[in-house]
Amino acid sequence: IPNSFESVTPISCMTTTILVIEDDEFVAEFLQELLEDEAYEVLLTGNPIEALRTFSTNKVDLVISDLALPVLSGFDFIERLRQTERGKTVPVIVISGRYPSASHRSLMMVKYAVTEYFDKPIEIERFLLTVQELSNQLRNVSSFEKGEPQTSREPLRSKWLSNHPTRGNVEE
């Protein structure tokens, strides 16, 4: 992996900011292009330690993470992310080729409060639909917090927190 890939690459767009943690350069570039084509801002890194720093210094609306990562596993990354104040509520999508959803989905959703889990190769339509739905719901939350009128959809964070009552038990 080239050195330039090791650092976070901010890409300016106009909407939801997505932090992608993927160490496979081909998959990382594919996800970046796929999400940028949908007008998302993408912060990309292959290093989960760098991802934690990026998360702490940037406005990140959604995290997409592989599980088989160097330096720190995706499991440990998500656990550390969830120990931060903002990390307690940020939606996380997991993508994995090594840990099949059939055996890890329940663990990830309960223990790590993962919003969605995709096996590699990802189902592109379902993946983009999930990202779009989360982005729309996050915009609704933002509008609600600013006192703007809401659509008929329940804000994501309220819905997500109600489905993950243990999230309030995470300590700093």
Side-chain angles (χ1 to χ4, degrees):
I1 297 176
N3 288 340
S4 62
F5 181 70
E6 302 241 347
S7 64
V8 174
T9 309
I11 306 298
S12 61
C13 293
M14 304 178 341
T15 183
T16 303
T17 302
I18 303 173
L19 175 59
V20 177
I21 306 93
E22 173 58 66
D23 65 318
D24 180 306
E25 190 171 2
F26 175 79
V27 175
E29 289 174 2
F30 170 77
L31 290 171
Q32 182 176 16
E33 185 175 318
L34 183 68
L35 294 166
E36 286 175 353
D37 284 350
E38 298 295 319
Y40 295 109
E41 180 177 346
V42 177
L43 303 173
L44 178 65
T45 183
N47 181 321
I49 300 297
E50 181 66 28
L52 289 168
R53 282 192 291 263
T54 300
F55 183 81
S56 71
T57 59
N58 291 275
K59 175 193 162 288
V60 173
D61 301 303
L62 173 63
V63 174
I64 299 172
S65 181
D66 189 9
L67 291 178
L69 295 166
V71 184
L72 187 69
S73 76
F75 298 100
D76 292 334
F77 163 75
I78 295 168
E79 191 167 57
R80 288 187 187 183
L81 178 73
R82 292 295 187 214
Q83 292 172 355
T84 68
E85 189 60 36
R86 287 183 326 137
K88 291 176 186 176
T89 58
V90 69
V92 175
I93 295 174
V94 166
I95 54 172
S96 182
R98 185 173 296 171
Y99 303 97
S101 65
S103 58
H104 287 81
R105 182 183 189 91
S106 294
L107 168 72
M108 295 305 294
M109 297 219 166
V110 173
K111 183 174 181 182
Y112 300 98
V114 166
T115 309
E116 189 55 80
Y117 195 110
F118 288 89
D119 289 318
K120 289 180 186 175
I122 62 170
E123 298 172 43
I124 296 171
E125 273 188 49
R126 188 169 77 88
F127 176 77
L128 286 175
L129 188 62
T130 299
V131 171
Q132 179 182 17
E133 182 177 299
L134 290 169
S135 177
N136 290 342
Q137 292 176 355
L138 288 166
R139 273 197 297 269
N140 286 344
V141 169
S142 179
S143 296
F144 178 76
E145 290 169 351
K146 293 177 185 174
E148 297 171 5
Q150 292 293 290
T151 65
S152 61
R153 295 185 126 164
E154 179 184 5
L156 170 67
R157 290 187 180 155
S158 298
K159 181 178 180 182
W160 182 77
L161 286 172
S162 69
N163 289 331
H164 299 88
T166 61
R167 290 310 333 139
N169 297 333
V170 176
E171 296 176 11
E172 278 298 315

